[in-house]
Amino acid sequence: MVLTTNIKIKVNYHNFFSIFRYLGTGQSLASLHFSFLIGKSTASVIIRETCVAIWNALHAAVMGQPQKEQWQEIADVFQQTCQFPNCAGAIDGKHIRIKKPVRSGSQFYNYKKYFSFVLFAMCDANYSFRYIDVGSYGSRSDSAVFAHSEFGKLLHDKALDLPEHTALPGTTSPAMPFVFVADEAFALGENLMRPYSSRGLSLARRVFNYRLTRARRVVECAFGILANKWRFLHTPIHLKLETAISAVKAACVLHNFVRARDGFNFEDSLTHSLHSHRPSVVRGHRQGAAVREQFTAYFMSPHGALPWQLDAI
């Protein structure tokens, strides 16, 4: 089976159709058993092995870590489509429903009172995932998942090869860092912007929250497209934990592959069954607060203001 000109996956066609039936419809293993005349345990093995093969074949090609020039291209698209300059990506975490893993206690039991693991993702303005971390305990907060992820560690260590600080469009100073946008569950940082607390906001801060939300919503849209394309995510995954994680990872790289091949044309992509984490109280630091204030001032300036922003808040 050839997925692209240069990428090949060696897989039995019978297995291939059964795995895509599962990912695309969310059919049970019993249903696959009757549709393809295979045992339920065999179906589980097929799902695991094929998903691992898909991930190994596509990951480097469609979800490789961006280099400095690619980060700049991502930021250019965010500026064009969301009018948020120096934005390198949007991040968020979602719960994936699962059956209770064996001997897991309450580690996967989340605040919504069901069992789940976390899909943490960073995506670009084209709704493609640039980084994912799959499998953290459902009981963990977004900020904890982020801090323990490879992406979070690379950002903290300034090892993501982001472009040098640059002035915002229409200005010559100050030089501003490239940032990722997130919701209030994440800690404010020099390279991580979150909204202001909703109490007693000034007009400028309300505008900042609106502008950040316009950029951050792309990750919500990406989750919506993912869940509506691969509908096994609409229901609890009744697979072993390792197999469920492999299935979600395969769905994410297939999402990117389809995005690159077919583009985006999907209605109501914000409607999905992946639940957000409960916002937690996390503190930022002074340098992050200073960067946020600079963005806030810019969005109220003649160079950075949008004609409709005051009507939208």
Side-chain angles (χ1 to χ4, degrees):
M1 175 190 66
V2 180
L3 289 181
T4 68
T5 303
N6 299 316
I7 301 172
K8 297 182 179 180
I9 298 178
K10 295 181 179 179
V11 62
N12 181 283
Y13 276 100
H14 190 267
N15 296 353
F16 173 70
F17 288 123
S18 64
I19 181 61
F20 273 80
R21 174 73 66 86
Y22 173 77
L23 295 178
T25 66
Q27 286 186 338
S28 66
L29 295 182
S31 178
L32 293 178
H33 162 67
F34 289 111
S35 297
F36 295 94
L37 301 179
I38 54 177
K40 286 186 283 187
S41 60
T42 302
S44 179
V45 171
I46 290 172
I47 291 171
R48 183 184 70 248
E49 293 183 352
T50 309
C51 285
V52 169
I54 290 172
W55 169 262
N56 290 338
L58 291 180
H59 174 244
V62 303
M63 203 184 290
Q65 181 174 323
Q67 302 302 311
K68 187 171 297 184
E69 295 78 12
Q70 294 171 305
W71 286 123
Q72 184 64 61
E73 292 172 0
I74 293 172
D76 291 342
V77 178
F78 266 103
Q79 170 63 9
Q80 294 166 10
T81 59
C82 304
Q83 291 76 51
F84 199 109
N86 287 29
C87 180
I91 65 175
D92 200 5
K94 294 296 178 183
H95 288 289
I96 305 296
R97 282 178 176 265
I98 56 173
K99 69 176 183 179
K100 182 182 182 297
V102 177
R103 294 186 293 275
S104 63
S106 61
Q107 292 175 316
F108 291 93
Y109 195 66
N110 64 47
Y111 76 99
K112 290 182 176 287
K113 302 187 184 305
Y114 62 81
F115 293 94
S116 67
F117 59 73
V118 179
L119 165 59
F120 168 79
M122 185 276 287
C123 78
D124 60 28
N126 288 320
Y127 310 98
S128 292
F129 298 113
R130 292 306 186 111
Y131 174 86
I132 61 171
D133 182 276
V134 187
S136 293
Y137 299 137
S139 58
R140 278 186 170 182
S141 66
D142 274 351
S143 58
V145 173
F146 170 71
H148 289 88
S149 69
E150 180 186 359
F151 179 82
K153 293 174 182 177
L154 289 172
L155 182 62
H156 180 269
D157 295 337
K158 299 187 181 300
L160 284 176
D161 195 27
L162 294 172
E164 300 295 328
H165 291 23
T166 183
L168 301 179
T171 68
T172 57
S173 65
M176 296 287 286
F178 283 75
V179 300
F180 298 91
V181 293
D183 62 20
E184 61 273 17
F186 294 85
L188 181 68
E190 181 185 9
N191 299 107
L192 185 59
M193 294 291 100
R194 55 166 282 173
Y196 290 100
S197 173
S198 58
R199 294 185 177 180
L201 291 181
S202 65
L203 178 63
R205 291 187 173 189
R206 288 164 58 199
V207 167
F208 173 86
N209 283 1
Y210 165 69
R211 297 288 293 271
L212 181 139
T213 300
R214 293 187 77 248
R216 190 188 63 80
R217 67 179 181 176
V218 300
V219 68
E220 295 285 345
C221 290
F223 284 133
I225 300 165
L226 176 73
N228 285 301
K229 174 72 74 174
W230 309 107
R231 301 188 70 84
F232 80 104
L233 295 170
H234 279 279
T235 58
I237 302 177
H238 292 280
L239 299 170
K240 292 181 179 180
L241 179 62
E242 296 78 9
T243 305
I245 291 172
S246 295
V248 172
K249 292 169 67 175
C252 289
V253 292
L254 288 170
H255 165 91
N256 280 13
F257 175 77
V258 173
R259 288 285 303 123
R261 189 192 66 179
D262 296 341
F264 173 70
N265 183 16
F266 199 90
E267 295 180 359
D268 198 19
S269 59
L270 287 174
T271 301
H272 57 80
S273 60
L274 308 183
H275 298 106
S276 299
H277 278 188
R278 174 188 292 171
S280 56
V281 178
V282 288
R283 296 181 179 180
H285 55 69
R286 293 182 179 179
Q287 193 169 12
V291 172
R292 185 168 64 176
E293 289 295 335
Q294 291 287 349
F295 274 109
T296 302
Y298 176 76
F299 291 148
M300 295 298 291
S301 72
H303 297 295
L306 297 177
W308 66 84
Q309 66 186 22
L310 296 182
D311 296 328
I313 61 176

